[in-house]
Amino acid sequence: MLEKRAFYINGEWVESQGGTDHHVINPSTEEPCATITLGTQADADAAVAAAKAAFPAWMATPVEERIAMVSKLCDIYAERAEELGEAMSLEMGAPISMSKTSQAGAGSWHLQNFIKAAKNFEFNRPLGDHAPGDRIIYEPVGVAALITPWNWPMNQVTLKVGAAAIAGCTMVLKPSEESPLNAVIFTEMMHEAGFPAGVYNMIQGDGAGVGTALSGHQDVDMVSFTGSTRAGTAISKNAADTLKRVHLELGGKGANLIFDDADEKAVKRGVLHMMNNTGQSCNAPSRMLVQRGIYDQAVEEAAAVAEKVTVGPASEEGRHIGPVVNEVQWGKIQALIEKGIEEGAKLVAGGPGRPDGMNRGFYVRPTVFADVNNDMTIAREEIFGPVLSIIPFDTEEEAVQIANDTPYGLTNYVQTQDSNRANRLATQLRSGMVEMNGTSRAAGSPFGGMKQSGNGREGGVWGLEDFLEVKAVSGWAAE
């Protein structure tokens, strides 16, 4: 078992000021795999103070130099990507093959795209030809608290750190206590890349402790948080007294609208997308809405696809899915599966309990419910596990109504060969992202939601703008 790791404050590895030990559990075995220290208010104060002291000089550093440091970080990241994949697989249960590719690869992808976006971003630009003496200047917000989740650790760490660094913010990263080891490796990379002392700081902790200390801290100018809607609400309330900027990427309950003219791979694609990362993705297409004419066929196919999804330890190579992250999540998922049965949904694949032959580890059976209506609990709540709900619809208008009838608004999906219909739906679906016919978002496309799925956007130009203030200047002297 790995020993507890120190915190990184003001360019140095330091011990916690009185924090308590926390065991990191390997979800494949239910055994401890590492011990970390959960930080205290004093740790948070020290990290914020370091970031505050470093801010003036980092803000004044030419953006070309900030970009160059992130570029160097990219090179170091590539050298240690496999190590990152191993850490994430161990601590949060992503199968090792997927962790070394998708989980680790997400980080380098985002860093590279920030560099591209920044090189074309005008941080000092004219207002317009009508006002030659007016300028718009983009300046860093200040000290940013970055609070990241366990489900896609490097994806979220790089989306926040990369944007904050290029924008000129200084920062304090608090990774999830469920998946803290990858953040230690990433911090070593930041140190090797040569970021000045205090620009980047990292302290371990839980939401109730360090998360609360950072989100309410008077010297933190911005909180960027990814996690549950419940936690996002708590952070917003805690941050309100200091009127700091709060950027939230929260839960989802994505609808996947499959029309009777959808391509032949649409149902299979939707099921496998739902099961990816063991269903632990906020943008998972967890509600499959199927037009009545192909409904029975789609249910049969979805059940067959789910039954072929294999479950196994995260340490094994292959295309299987791993466990969910911890016992609490496992229990919540089991309760929601039971609730689906109780409320009358038709169980067509999977169900309660662990897969056959597994009596240890937080494994969940790939589960599909049919004949779900949008008032059922499994259609309303984010399950965050490999559980799919299938809902029938008759008309396009009904599909839109069902899809939008949710407090969430992160990602919706459309499967149709009718381009006019696809374009109509893109404007009618109330979500921050809409993906058509299996086409993923391109490099630099913004990630974020509406309603209770949060605010702000991450990635590319929009990700940079979230860490920037806009200053209007009149009377700018011509050079």
Side-chain angles (χ1 to χ4, degrees), residues 112-250:
Q112 290 163 6
N113 288 327
F114 279 133
I115 292 167
K116 292 176 185 175
K119 287 179 177 178
N120 296 314
F121 191 91
E122 289 185 273
F123 287 83
N124 185 323
R125 65 185 70 172
L127 175 64
D129 293 340
H130 69 290
D134 282 46
R135 306 289 294 186
I136 301 298
I137 300 175
Y138 288 84
E139 293 183 353
V141 172
V143 175
L146 314 177
I147 304 175
T148 56
W150 49 261
N151 61 320
W152 284 93
M154 273 298 108
N155 181 75
Q156 294 305 137
V157 167
T158 54
L159 277 171
K160 298 181 192 304
V161 172
I166 289 175
C169 291
T170 55
M171 65 205 87
V172 180
L173 172 68
K174 187 208 83 66
S176 170
E177 69 275 20
E178 301 291 344
S179 57
L181 305 180
N182 65 90
V184 174
I185 299 169
F186 181 81
T187 300
E188 293 171 354
M189 297 180 197
M190 291 291 289
H191 183 81
E192 184 179 346
F195 284 86
V199 168
Y200 168 88
N201 307 273
M202 187 277 290
I203 55 177
Q204 305 283 8
D206 58 17
V210 172
T212 298
L214 291 175
S215 60
H217 203 290
Q218 64 180 3
D219 291 331
V220 168
D221 300 295
M222 171 183 176
V223 178
S224 179
F225 169 77
T226 300
S228 71
T229 298
R230 175 196 55 76
T233 301
I235 285 171
S236 298
K237 291 178 179 177
N238 193 41
D241 288 342
T242 49
L243 291 176
K244 58 173 56 69
R245 182 182 296 190
V246 179
H247 167 114
L248 302 171
E249 298 294 347
L250 307 176

Side-chain angles (χ1 to χ4, degrees), residues 73-115:
L73 172 65
C74 258
D75 294 338
I76 298 167
Y77 190 105
E79 294 171 1
R80 301 188 68 179
E82 184 167 334
E83 188 179 353
L84 279 170
E86 291 169 352
M88 289 183 284
S89 180
L90 175 71
E91 62 194 342
M92 55 75 61
I96 190 65
S97 300
M98 180 259 194
S99 192
K100 288 181 178 180
T101 53
S102 299
Q103 288 277 4
S108 54
W109 167 259
H110 292 311
L111 292 174
Q112 290 163 6
N113 288 327
F114 279 133
I115 292 167

Side-chain angles (χ1 to χ4, degrees), residues 252-255 286-289 336 339-340 343 345 369 371-383 387-391 402-403 405-408:
K253 196 68 181 173
S286 54
R287 291 181 298 153
M288 181 179 282
L289 279 52
L336 285 165
K339 191 71 172 177
E343 292 184 352
F369 283 103
D371 299 351
V372 176
N373 67 62
N374 214 42
D375 293 326
M376 292 181 178
T377 303
I378 57 173
R380 307 302 300 177
E381 294 189 15
E382 186 180 36
I383 298 175
V387 182
L388 174 67
S389 297
I390 307 181
I391 303 172
I402 295 170
D405 180 21
T406 173
Y408 297 106

